[in-house]
Amino acid sequence: MIGALVEAWAEFRVHRARVLLSLVGVVIAVAALAAVVGVGSIASQAQIEQLERGAGRPATLVLNPPYDPRTGKQADPAKLAAAFDQIVERYSITYAGSVLWSGGQAQFVDGVDAVQLTVVDPAYGPMHRVQLARGDWFSDRDELRLTPALVVSDAVWRRLGSPDLATHPTLTLIGRQPTTGVILGVLPPDPYVGNLQAYLLGSGYAALAPSAAPGASPLPMYEFWVPLELADPLAERIRAEVGAAFGEGWVVDVQRQDYLAWGAGDPLEPVRIVLLAIAGLILLLGALSLVNIALVTVRQRVREIGIRRAFGATAPRVFLAVLLESVVATVIAGFVGVVLAVILVQSDWIQGLIAPGLQDAVPFPVEAAVIGLVAATGVGALAGLLPALVAVRVKVVDAIRY
Amino acid sequence: MSLLVLEAVTRSVELPGGGRLEILRGIDLEVDAGDHVSIVGRSGSGKSTLLGLLGLIDDPSSGRIVFDGMPLARVSGGRRDRLRGRDVGFIFQQFHLLPGRTALENAMTPLLYARGRQFWRRERIATEMLERVGLGDRLQSTPDRLSGGEQQRVAIARALVRGPRLILADEPTGALDVDTGSAVMALLDEVAAASGAALITITHDPGIAAMAGRRFRLDEGVLRPVDAADRAVAAPPGGAP
């Protein structure tokens, strides 16, 4: 085997120009194949991050406000908050918080406009991969501010005249009591989310809420980011504990809301399959040209094969050497193709095109490199098979007279 | 025990239009270690076919070939290939060096099919052999940069690297001028004698044939020893064919 490899390498070295030219198709195909898989991974990560921004990271449990179906009564907000605090403390849940969506109004220079308000806890940021174009997300200390802290959408920031955050720009929200908040951070432009949007902490919302009286305002839901393997038992415990706090007859709903719980397939799968099919086709065409060239080459090398046989090369050895020549060449082509794919996929331009604002950098997937190299080796073996069979059938007596 | 024995060997081929063409008829030959045998014959007399049989690359139509006490009819293809690689060294008329490979790589070729020490020390063995045939300074030259005499010396080095017990030289001087041919033959004779290998030279040059201790003539497929009368008319070594 080592001898055959040495022979194959020598053959590649001597005929490198011809072999490299014949491998152009294989290099392109392997690069395409590896790039498709690589781009697919990055696009998937981008897709996942987008989903996590909306529904939280796996596993996110959500506790909807309990209600009593017999009376139609909503839960007492203070009692619900106390139950939440108790759960967080008992199970040492690092990331948990309330979320409440509410409509509101904001005073701009050119008038009052409706603003979508999201009332959150500081933990919402890491739980939902909140990414800011400028400034900072809330910290626990922001709860103590006398002037509420705000994180606003790009549209709100532009409407305010794109002020420098170092100047502590403010936005006046109109609710039960007009409240002026200081803008800490600005979200990046997002075509999928409503234009005028602001995040604020629960302490800041108290003055804006329609009424402090129980049942007068919508209740928040509570989110918990927990380890994946503990999600189901914890959901059960939360349900039980909140149920116990409110008593019999109350409906307590605790569910997973992260994308992994949806059971949805990869939305990019069809595109990836089409691209893989195209890459496979290119690989096939590359292999065909390789077979063609290898067959012609073997016919030209009849005398050489005869000489090798005269000096002791057995038929299986000749078969292996010719086969390995093809494999060695395509493995090198595969390596070049994979390197090209890595350069392409990891380039800032491509990454910016596929997944702008990706939080967790995706290294070039190992499986993409492995698939590329395995495909190249397979093509080499297939393309080498036919010439190897021809080489074995060479009659030594005739070959050395050739 | 003789190294190589041919007993009543014939070789015939089927003709496309039917019938058979007898190329070799009733060949009897015994070659011992250290023998220098020459076989002379005109073109078409069956020399190359005989070389194929002597070199274990072809089978007789009838008769028996025994190599080192082993009847070849009982030796499988793969084993025969290995036996040939280990014990037989070929020198061809047109040198048959591998194009694009250096003199060193060409000389190393048979060692690629060896095992153990010979395989792992192939570069050193081939270098030593090339130095021995006077090409120590041309190791990295490719065949297109070597003269005819140098190419044939590379071919001799290649034939000898595995220390064969039988060296088969097919028209070794056929592509060389008279002086170079004589020098190459003298070298071949010397290295063969030093290694104790049997040397069979197939040639149409009576001068080259005359250098051998035992001489045969192949005429219309029949091998006969060259008698005294033939020897008298044989040209001196290096003479014109």
Side-chain angles (χ1 to χ4, degrees):
Chain A
M1 182 71 178
I2 295 171
L5 262 174
V6 170
E7 212 175 320
W9 173 247
E11 187 61 29
F12 173 76
R13 213 164 37 81
V14 170
H15 300 293
R16 55 185 174 274
R18 170 183 60 73
V19 175
L20 285 176
L21 275 175
S22 70
L23 289 174
V24 170
V26 179
V27 170
I28 293 170
V30 169
L33 204 65
V36 166
V37 180
V39 164
S41 295
I42 291 168
S44 283
Q45 178 64 26
Q47 180 82 15
I48 285 167
E49 288 189 6
Q50 186 66 34
L51 292 170
E52 287 177 349
R53 274 188 201 107
R57 300 162 83 159
T60 296
L61 298 175
V62 60
L63 163 64
N64 289 307
Y67 66 97
D68 188 343
R70 295 162 301 184
T71 60
K73 238 173 102 179
Q74 270 201 335
D76 174 10
K79 202 172 175 181
L80 182 58
F84 166 76
D85 289 340
Q86 206 171 14
I87 289 163
V88 168
E89 197 182 331
R90 178 167 300 160
Y91 298 108
S92 305
I93 301 171
T94 315
Y95 294 97
S98 62
V99 183
L100 173 70
W101 287 281
S102 173
Q105 287 184 314
Q107 177 70 60
F108 295 99
V109 181
D110 54 347
V112 174
D113 214 337
V115 176
Q116 167 74 49
L117 297 177
T118 310
V119 186
V120 295
D121 282 328
Y124 184 92
M127 286 169 74
H128 286 261
R129 286 189 180 274
V130 174
Q131 207 176 12
L132 298 176
R134 47 184 58 79
D136 300 305
W137 180 252
F138 305 114
S139 69
D140 288 337
R141 286 172 55 199
D142 291 324
E143 296 265 22
L144 307 173
R145 281 173 180 267
L146 294 175
T147 309
L150 297 173
V151 170
V152 298
S153 65
D154 181 70
V156 170
W157 180 67
R158 286 184 190 283
R159 188 81 178 267
L160 292 170
S162 309
D164 182 356
L165 296 190
T167 64
H168 307 293
T170 58
L171 175 69
T172 301
L173 297 169
I174 301 163
R176 193 158 46 83
Q177 291 171 21
T179 303
T180 300
V182 178
I183 297 171
L184 291 187
V186 180
L187 297 166
D190 189 341
Y192 305 110
V193 177
N195 279 339
L196 298 176
Q197 201 187 8
Y199 287 85
L200 70 162
L201 296 174
S203 54
Y205 181 66
L208 293 167
S211 167
S217 304
L219 285 176
M221 60 183 201
Y222 288 89
E223 290 180 346
F224 307 86
W225 182 20
V226 298
L228 209 52
E229 65 279 8
L230 296 178
D232 288 340
L234 266 176
E236 199 51 52
R237 300 296 284 272
I238 293 168
R239 201 174 291 125
E241 290 200 16
V242 176
F246 282 87
E248 206 161 308
W250 282 75
V251 173
V252 180
D253 179 33
V254 181
Q255 282 182 8
R256 286 267 304 271
Q257 71 166 8
D258 55 88
Y259 73 95
L260 282 184
W262 306 346
D266 184 353
L268 295 168
E269 197 66 24
V271 179
R272 207 178 318 176
I273 289 170
V274 169
L275 289 174
L276 278 174
I278 294 169
L281 206 64
I282 300 173
L283 199 62
L284 189 71
L285 291 174
L288 280 178
S289 71
L290 203 64
V291 172
N292 193 13
I293 293 168
L295 269 176
V296 172
T297 309
V298 159
R299 288 188 200 286
Q300 285 174 347
R301 285 171 55 201
V302 164
R303 192 169 72 181
E304 181 194 323
I305 291 165
I307 293 164
R308 291 187 183 278
R309 294 293 309 271
F311 284 109
T314 58
R317 173 60 185 272
V318 167
F319 179 86
L320 194 65
V322 174
L323 190 72
L324 280 179
E325 273 170 38
S326 176
V327 172
V328 164
T330 51
V331 164
I332 292 168
F335 183 75
V336 174
V338 167
V339 168
L340 282 179
V342 171
I343 293 169
L344 194 75
V345 171
Q346 296 297 95
S347 72
D348 290 344
W349 179 68
I350 290 284
Q351 295 235 346
L353 213 63
I354 310 164
L358 199 65
Q359 266 188 346
D360 291 352
V362 185
F364 189 82
V366 177
E367 75 262 26
V370 171
I371 287 171
L373 283 177
V374 167
T377 311
V379 162
L382 280 174
L385 201 62
L386 211 56
L389 287 171
V390 171
V392 165
R393 293 182 62 184
V394 167
K395 286 190 83 178
V396 187
V397 181
D398 300 332
I400 53 178
R401 288 184 199 160
Y402 193 70
Chain B
M1 184 175 60
S2 296
L3 177 65
L4 180 67
V5 179
L6 275 71
E7 290 174 0
V9 165
T10 68
R11 185 72 176 95
S12 56
V13 289
E14 214 160 303
L15 293 172
R20 292 190 77 81
L21 173 68
E22 294 232 358
I23 303 170
L24 297 175
R25 285 180 282 185
I27 306 282
D28 291 306
L29 180 68
E30 271 192 42
V31 180
D32 294 326
D35 272 0
H36 184 173
V37 176
S38 68
I39 299 169
V40 215
R42 286 196 297 270
S43 296
S45 59
K47 295 196 300 288
S48 296
T49 305
L50 182 58
L51 178 95
L53 294 172
L54 295 170
L56 322 184
I57 54 179
D58 198 8
D59 289 311
S61 301
S62 66
R64 201 163 87 112
I65 300 178
V66 181
F67 187 88
D68 199 23
M70 267 183 298
L72 287 185
R74 290 193 213 150
V75 180
S76 69
R79 199 168 150 219
R80 191 189 294 194
D81 290 335
R82 283 188 284 277
L83 187 70
R84 182 172 61 243
R86 192 187 67 201
D87 287 335
V88 182
F90 287 90
I91 298 164
F92 303 102
Q93 179 182 1
Q94 296 299 333
F95 325 129
H96 284 355
L97 297 182
L98 302 180
R101 271 74 158 192
T102 62
L104 183 61
E105 286 168 334
N106 265 288
M108 277 196 297
T109 304
L111 294 164
L112 284 172
Y113 312 112
R115 287 179 182 175
R117 256 170 82 89
Q118 277 200 332
F119 175 79
W120 294 110
R121 297 183 66 218
R122 60 191 181 281
E123 191 168 337
R124 191 165 165 192
I125 295 169
T127 304
E128 283 171 4
M129 192 53 76
L130 284 168
E131 282 168 352
R132 197 166 156 201
V133 298
L135 290 176
D137 55 343
R138 307 302 303 273
L139 299 180
Q140 299 306 325
S141 302
T142 47
D144 56 341
R145 299 196 174 272
L146 295 170
S147 68
E150 286 172 329
Q151 288 187 54
Q152 194 58 303
R153 280 192 278 162
V154 174
I156 290 171
R158 180 177 62 179
L160 296 173
V161 280
R162 289 192 70 180
R165 297 161 72 194
L166 173 65
I167 301 165
L168 286 174
D170 181 15
E171 303 278 13
T173 60
L176 305 175
D177 62 66
V178 175
D179 291 339
T180 312
S182 298
V184 163
M185 270 318 292
L187 174 71
L188 185 56
D189 216 8
E190 181 203 322
V191 288
S195 64
L199 172 63
I200 300 178
T201 311
I202 292 180
T203 179
H204 64 269
D205 181 347
I208 297 299
M211 294 172 77
R214 295 170 59 206
R215 277 152 264 178
F216 293 85
R217 177 180 293 281
L218 188 63
D219 201 5
E220 293 184 346
V222 179
L223 189 70
R224 295 190 185 89
V226 175
D227 58 24
D230 283 336
R231 289 182 196 190
V233 295

